[in-house]
Structures are given as C-alpha cells and as structure tokens.
Amino acid sequence: MASRIILFLSFLVFSLSSVLASDPSSLQDFCVADNNTALVNGFACKDPKMVQADDFSFSGLHLPGNTSNPVGSKVTLINVAKIAGLNTLGISLARIDYAPWGINPPHFHPRASEIFTVIQGSLAVGFVTSNPENRFITKILHQGDVFVFPVGLIHFQRNLGNGHAVAISSLSSQNPGVMTIANAVFGSTPEIPSDILAKAFQVDKSVINYLQTKF
C-alpha cells in the first residue's frame, strides 16, 4: 500500500511539474549565456566575474524595421541571442513595424505567451482558440492599447491605416520560437506531399502546388 502511495505521489509531482514548467528558473542572481557553448535547452553560464554591462543591454530598437516584403511587416526580436543576460530569466521582447495595410501573418509561439502594446497607428489583432471550438477572438487596437495572445494559439496583426504602425511585444520566454502557418505548411523542407495538403484543405492538388511555389 505504501509503495502505491509513493508511486502516486511521484506521479502527481511529475505531472504538476510538467504542467507548470516554463523556462528554467535561475538559481543565482543571473546566468549570462556563454555563447561559446553548445545549446542544450538553454545556455551554460558565463563566469560571473567576466560579466559586463553589455551582457544586459541592446541598442537599436528605436530603428524602424524594413517592411519592404510581401507581408509588409518586420519583427525585430530581442531574445537571448541578442542579450545574453536574458538567459534563464524567461522573458524577451520584440518590435514589430508595419507598412500601410501590412500584416504580421498568422503564427504562434510554441514556448511563450505574448503581451502586445500598440505604440503607433491602429491594428486589427486576433487569435483562434484550439479545437474543437476554433473560436476567433478579435479586436481593433489603437495607440496605447494592450492585448494578450495566449501561448500556442494562432494569432495575427494587421495595420488598418495608410501610415506606418509600430508595436512592442513582451514574451514569456528567453527564446519563444515562432511558427508562421503558411511558411510551415507550404514551405517546409522537404515539402509536405501535396495530396495530403489537398485533402486537408479540401482543394485540388494544383492549388497546393501553386501555393508551395510561393514559399
């Protein structure tokens, strides 16, 4: 009986730790990433005696991103690769620039929730809940408005104006990751077989073949 209780408690602790897990917490004041080491679910710590102020800073976020691309947006991500001091802190930041009517296309972050603030312009934003509801939650945001995108849910933004728009996103991971839906589905390497995608999207294979040429 005692062994069953111990087994049950072990399983419960493991389950809770799996549910609550996110980026690993630091066990010291900081753990500046040592970029000379191999990446194994995070970076090893640089010797604290070698840490400098530059390990905690980044310059250039005031500079607009180049939005001359098919979707009309540019994401400038400030993660642990840009600021080594973010290692183990579980946060990152991004600036998003939008050309007139530009979009940040449907995507999701596998490792982070996102809190999104409009700095300039007006943006339509939204996300879709998971199966089976697939509910579309959307809102128009203006300068100073804030919106939250929950971790792992597909979301997007679109500039609603004839001028440029700017937003800042804070993310709950030092390395949130991103999966842009169209790129992943139609631009994978090697390609997903077109007959699978044709059946999934319920269209002719020629449509899939055309879309794959775009990515």
Side-chain angles (χ1 to χ4, degrees):
M1 181 66 179
S3 61
R4 290 184 179 179
I5 293 174
I6 292 172
L7 181 62
F8 172 77
L9 291 175
S10 299
F11 174 78
L12 183 61
V13 170
F14 176 79
S15 299
L16 288 174
S17 65
S18 298
V19 169
L20 299 175
S22 56
D23 282 6
S25 297
S26 180
L27 299 178
Q28 55 275 326
D29 289 343
F30 50 77
C31 174
V32 172
D34 182 353
N35 293 319
N36 295 318
T37 61
L39 178 61
V40 183
N41 202 31
F43 292 93
C45 304
K46 180 187 288 188
D47 183 345
K49 296 182 180 64
M50 304 298 293
V51 168
Q52 304 292 330
D54 286 347
D55 291 316
F56 299 93
S57 68
F58 173 86
S59 298
L61 204 60
H62 64 292
L63 300 173
N66 183 3
T67 59
S68 299
N69 54 64
V71 297
S73 69
K74 172 63 176 179
V75 177
T76 303
L77 178 63
I78 311 303
N79 61 4
V80 68
K82 299 286 183 65
I83 302 179
L86 286 175
N87 194 38
T88 75
L89 298 185
I91 55 172
S92 57
L93 185 74
R95 169 181 172 143
I96 308 101
D97 290 274
Y98 307 84
W101 301 102
I103 66 168
N104 187 11
H107 64 281
F108 69 91
H109 304 289
R111 295 180 290 276
S113 294
E114 176 179 355
I115 185 164
F116 177 89
T117 305
V118 179
I119 305 300
Q120 175 183 321
S122 296
L123 296 163
V125 305
F127 65 85
V128 179
T129 64
S130 56
N131 297 353
E133 290 85 4
N134 298 131
R135 182 182 172 200
F136 179 41
I137 296 175
T138 184
K139 187 176 178 65
I140 294 175
L141 305 181
H142 305 285
Q143 185 176 14
D145 290 345
V146 178
F147 197 80
V148 172
F149 301 111
V151 60
L153 297 186
I154 295 172
H155 59 281
F156 74 94
Q157 304 102 37
R158 178 175 64 172
N159 184 3
L160 295 178
N162 292 315
H164 286 77
V166 181
I168 295 290
S169 282
S170 299
L171 300 119
S172 62
S173 172
Q174 68 184 40
N175 187 26
V178 63
M179 288 278 288
T180 305
I181 305 305
N183 298 63
V185 172
F186 300 111
S188 66
T189 304
E191 292 180 345
I192 299 173
S194 58
D195 60 317
I196 292 176
L197 294 178
K199 192 166 187 177
F201 287 96
Q202 300 180 34
V203 297
D204 189 82
K205 282 177 61 175
S206 62
V207 176
I208 300 299
N209 292 335
Y210 170 74
L211 289 172
Q212 288 177 325
T213 66
K214 295 294 184 179
F215 298 94

